Amino acid sequence: MLVDVKVSDSSSTDSGSGARRRSDVTRDAILAAARERFAADGYERATIRAIAKDAGIDPSMVMRYYGNKEGLFAAAVSIDLSMPDVAALPRQDVGRALVEHFLGMWEENEVLTALLRVGATNPAGAERMQGVFRDQLVPVAFAVCPDPEQAPARAGLGAAQLLGLALTRYVLRLPPTVALSREEIVAWLAPTLQRYLTAPSP
């Protein structure tokens, strides 16, 4: 009887492991297809049906694993902000360099704008944006702020300015914000970002 129990347990374990492996393979296929489709068609034009077809599965499987297009997009995208080396810049130029860098990123990277839109409404998108903030923006503040303990708060204030600009200019498209030239945005925003990152604590 003991032998029978052992065989049964082993079979159950193997079956469970096999199911997990199949699940992982399916997820990987979906994510690979989604990355290619989002890159080729953009967020708005890409569809769950097209992504499922590319992955060779039924659309219901995509919904099962990721819920909707927003959840799938948040899981599929990887954002590298390619941040400038602020430690190598003159200290007084940090704010300007970051505003110019982000304007270029927002205007040239459709994925970044789409992730902002998804992050405002989808928990997975918000989690992805939080990861970008933690891994890529906070180190910038650590590199230049006068008090390392304040780096996360200073990075958060800087992100509020940059994301607020992106939301109003590229997502909501508020006419006064859209009408601003890049030079005007840099002139207005750079001093504020500079103060958040490098000024003494108030």
Side-chain angles (χ1 to χ4, degrees):
M1 181 171 293
L2 290 176
V3 173
D4 289 342
V5 170
K6 279 188 172 184
V7 171
S8 175
D9 286 347
S10 175
S11 175
S12 175
T13 300
D14 290 345
S15 176
S17 298
R20 284 193 297 272
R21 283 195 296 270
R22 287 193 297 274
S23 176
D24 290 341
V25 169
T26 301
R27 287 178 181 272
D28 289 345
I30 293 170
L31 291 178
R35 292 184 186 108
E36 292 185 8
R37 182 61 64 173
F38 284 128
D41 294 350
Y43 176 77
E44 298 298 341
R45 293 187 300 277
T47 66
I48 291 290
R49 185 174 297 278
I51 292 167
K53 182 179 179 181
D54 293 343
I57 61 173
D58 189 270
S60 64
M61 293 297 291
V62 180
M63 305 296 284
R64 172 185 171 187
Y65 286 119
Y66 298 103
N68 52 33
K69 186 169 78 166
E70 291 85 356
L72 174 59
F73 178 81
V77 298
S78 177
I79 298 293
D80 181 3
L81 298 178
S82 302
M83 299 296 292
D85 182 6
V86 294
L89 296 173
R91 190 176 182 82
Q92 69 274 12
D93 293 341
V94 169
R96 172 175 290 272
L98 289 176
V99 174
E100 291 176 341
H101 177 76
F102 271 93
L103 281 172
M105 289 291 295
W106 292 116
E107 293 179 0
E108 297 166 12
N109 192 329
E110 180 183 351
V111 171
L112 192 57
T113 303
L115 183 57
L116 175 62
R117 186 182 297 112
V118 170
T121 59
N122 180 274
E127 184 176 350
R128 180 57 57 89
M129 289 294 286
Q130 291 164 11
V132 171
F133 169 80
R134 180 187 63 247
D135 299 336
Q136 301 186 51
L137 289 180
V138 173
V140 171
F142 270 111
V144 297
C145 78
D147 183 351
E149 291 186 0
Q150 296 178 340
R154 288 173 180 260
L157 290 168
Q161 293 292 317
L162 294 167
L163 293 178
L165 169 68
L167 181 65
T168 56
R169 183 175 172 89
Y170 304 115
V171 178
L172 300 178
R173 299 193 63 80
L174 299 183
T177 311
V178 173
L180 290 170
S181 68
R182 289 185 60 155
E183 292 74 17
E184 288 174 313
I185 292 173
V186 172
W188 281 104
L189 198 56
T192 300
L193 206 61
Q194 182 77 34
R195 178 170 64 87
Y196 282 155
L197 292 175
T198 65
S201 178

